[in-house]
Amino acid sequence: MMNDARALDDAARRNLWLHFTDHSEFGDTEVPMIVRGEGAYIYDQNGRRYLDGISGLLVTQLGHGRTELVSAAAKQAQELAFFPLWSFAHPTAAELAGRIADLAPGDLNRVFFTSGGSEAVESAWKLAKLYFKLTGKPSKTKVISRAGAYHGTTHGALSITGIPSYRQPYEPLVPGVVRAPNTDFYRSKEVTGDLAVAADEEAFGRWAAEEVGRLIEREGPDTVAAVFVEPVQNSGGCLTPPAGYFARLREICDTYDVLLVSDEVICGYGRLGTMFGCEKFGYVPDIITSAKGLTSGYSPIGAMIASDRLFEPFTRDGTIFTHGYTFGGHPVSAAVALANLDIFEREGILEHVTANEPVFRGILERLYDLPIVGDVRGAGYFYGVELVKDKEKRSVFTPEECDTVLGGRFSRALLDAGLYCRTAGDQGDRVVQLAPPLICGEEHFEEIEGALRTVLTEAWKML
């Protein structure tokens, strides 16, 4: 194993293909390399410490360096390091499926394991198509997803994703996906064109839900299989649902016999203060897709959780869900997930997030006194801070301003201030996303606010 920093950097430059990365940015500078994590903090190759303000990639719910999870992985690897779930079960997968089913709402009792989130989304779409074929409605194949939503990068999941810049390089994609409006209330005036609706959050939420119904009618109810939504939409900057939105969406899906899929790859496993994000907003979906926080990132795993109704056709002789993954429900990952859920219960993680949610929000809302901060929104330990050029007009930045002030330089300034977080934006908008480990408390929130205040103040001076 390489220990020399120069050799590691050379290997990263010559051989490592980083994800979602412009490699030309490195030039003559070192490739950033995180070498260690402890609690809520990560450390780079130069010993610099950063608060992990985005939980790696909204993954490390319990923080870094949890020896209990490492021990669970090692113990399981000694007993059974690998076996596939192809016509055989193994103990950790069976136990974990039962544990998840007990935690999931309603009759979501069937757990199909994957390696990660994109695969869980792929599985949900394939299940929806096959379910309707088996129940005499073979034309129900289409999916409705929301504008700007991210649902993964595999070909089917990318087709459901609503971010044009991610989709366009790989078109043509899988046909049959149509877009409904998202729940960005901050931009509701632009989206609806109706001042009365845009001024009332509940009215806006009902409008957004009804738009899904209108899309189903336009496409033909006999052609639409599923609606994919996140409890809090990640892309666009933590877009929360208005009151009544999900209740009405559930009614619409039931009316047209369309499956409601709750994509909880981010929002599941405590991120919003509930085990599943749908519980936070009071709806029961037909399918939950999940991953990330199920193991707090200590080993990769994903899970599609389906209702008993959707499994019923597969109880018939000769009927098979011809779909699977080599590493789905990996014994080691399943063991880590069980240990992770044990810690959730033992340390009261859900209660901790719920109790601290208003504290986190309140500390972030102090940033409203800065002229560059237009909106602070989110839930649980998942918040977005939207930056604007003009608060009154809610105007976005020019591409040049994004490049020179709010691009790579902005991210580097946040790192220099000791904060690792996510800065994202399309078409001139810019949102700072924050999702610290669920073990964090007020002192960490203060640290986040202090770093943001320093960097945002300087960024405003440069505009």
Side-chain angles (χ1 to χ4, degrees):
M1 183 176 177
M2 292 183 185
N3 292 313
D4 180 74
R6 184 182 294 274
L8 283 169
D9 185 67
D10 188 55
R13 289 175 179 279
R14 291 172 180 262
N15 308 116
L16 183 60
W17 199 328
L18 299 174
H19 300 200
F20 285 94
T21 300
D22 179 355
H23 284 253
S24 68
E25 290 182 354
F26 300 132
D28 295 328
T29 63
E30 289 181 308
V31 176
M33 194 169 298
I34 300 301
V35 299
R36 184 169 69 88
E38 182 179 349
Y41 296 91
I42 52 175
Y43 297 79
D44 69 14
Q45 71 268 46
N46 299 312
R48 181 75 189 275
R49 188 182 84 160
Y50 310 93
L51 176 60
D52 186 358
I54 198 70
S55 296
L57 194 59
L58 302 111
V59 172
T60 53
Q61 315 294 65
L62 297 180
H64 303 273
R66 299 297 297 240
T67 57
E68 308 100 307
L69 301 183
V70 178
S71 297
K75 182 175 183 293
Q76 180 57 44
Q78 289 179 326
E79 294 176 0
L80 180 67
F82 173 75
F83 205 80
L85 295 177
W86 295 54
S87 301
F88 286 83
H90 57 73
T92 52
E95 184 179 351
L96 181 59
R99 186 84 167 267
I100 291 172
D102 287 343
L103 294 169
D107 70 339
L108 276 74
N109 293 317
R110 285 290 174 171
V111 182
F112 185 95
F113 287 115
T114 68
S115 305
S118 292
E119 290 180 357
V121 172
E122 292 277 343
S123 302
W125 192 3
K126 290 178 76 173
L127 174 59
K129 286 182 174 182
L130 187 51
Y131 168 78
F132 283 118
K133 283 182 171 65
L134 294 173
T135 54
K137 298 180 179 180
S139 62
K140 290 177 77 70
T141 61
K142 295 178 183 176
V143 160
I144 294 173
S145 66
R146 299 189 294 194
Y150 177 83
H151 292 285
T153 56
T154 54
H155 227 57
L158 183 59
S159 302
I160 299 172
T161 290
I163 305 173
S165 61
Y166 289 3
R167 293 166 48 84
Q168 287 168 357
Y170 306 103
E171 292 175 343
L173 295 170
V174 181
V177 181
V178 290
R179 308 275 172 240
N182 59 42
T183 58
D184 187 353
F185 184 61
Y186 187 66
R187 301 289 177 187
S188 58
K189 181 179 176 182
E190 304 165 30
V191 173
T192 66
D194 185 323
L195 294 180
V197 169
D200 184 302
E201 189 167 357
E202 191 168 344
F204 171 67
R206 187 172 184 85
W207 173 88
E210 295 289 355
E211 283 293 297
V212 174
R214 283 187 276 272
L215 267 179
I216 294 172
E217 285 283 0
R218 189 190 75 190
E219 296 296 320
D222 60 335
T223 71
V224 180
V227 174
F228 279 71
V229 290
E230 297 166 277
V232 175
Q233 183 172 314
N234 169 45
S235 182
C238 303
L239 306 180
T240 55
Y245 171 80
F246 276 116
R248 182 61 187 134
L249 189 60
R250 177 72 269 183
E251 292 174 351
I252 289 168
C253 288
D254 289 342
T255 297
Y256 294 108
D257 192 18
V258 170
L259 304 184
L260 180 58
V261 182
S262 190
D263 184 349
E264 308 211 8
V265 172
I266 287 173
C267 293
Y269 309 113
R271 179 55 55 188
L272 304 185
T274 50
M275 188 57 68
F276 294 101
C278 56
E279 298 173 284
K280 179 84 169 182
F281 301 110
Y283 67 97
V284 178
D286 300 293
I287 299 173
I288 292 174
T289 58
S290 68
K292 292 187 184 287
L294 179 52
T295 62
S296 287
Y298 283 69
S299 191
I301 198 170
M304 176 190 69
I305 312 163
S307 71
D308 288 332
R309 173 171 68 99
L310 300 184
F311 183 77
E312 192 281 329
F314 299 94
T315 63
R316 305 166 192 167
D317 287 346
T319 305
I320 299 173
F321 187 30
T322 50
H323 175 63
Y325 300 101
T326 299
F327 295 111
H330 191 284
V332 173
S333 295
V336 173
L338 286 166
N340 187 56
L341 293 174
D342 285 343
I343 296 172
F344 264 70
E345 185 175 339
R346 186 171 69 245
E347 297 186 4
I349 295 297
L350 301 182
E351 294 80 4
H352 176 77
V353 173
T354 299
N356 280 281
E357 176 181 13
V359 179
F360 191 17
R361 176 186 288 274
I363 290 173
L364 290 178
E365 286 180 343
R366 294 181 198 161
L367 297 169
Y368 274 130
D369 67 357
L370 300 178
I372 198 173
V373 174
D375 196 27
V376 175
R377 54 181 179 259
Y381 275 30
F382 187 32
Y383 280 90
V385 179
E386 182 161 345
L387 311 181
V388 293
K389 189 174 179 178
D390 185 301
K391 276 194 176 187
E392 184 177 347
K393 297 178 181 178
R394 302 187 178 185
S395 56
V396 299
F397 302 97
T398 66
E400 292 75 21
E401 288 165 337
C402 281
D403 288 342
T404 59
V405 180
L406 299 174
R409 180 185 297 183
F410 182 63
S411 297
R412 287 190 293 274
L414 287 168
L415 287 171
D416 289 342
L419 177 62
Y420 170 67
C421 61
R422 188 163 182 255
T423 60
D426 294 301
Q427 300 175 353
D429 65 306
R430 178 64 57 177
V431 179
V432 179
Q433 280 190 298
L434 302 157
L438 307 187
I439 58 170
C440 286
E442 185 171 355
E443 69 276 16
H444 301 103
F445 307 150
E446 293 281 3
E447 191 174 342
I448 289 169
E449 191 271 347
L452 285 174
R453 179 172 294 276
T454 297
V455 175
L456 292 174
T457 299
E458 290 303 309
W460 181 255
K461 290 178 183 178
M462 296 175 64
L463 289 169

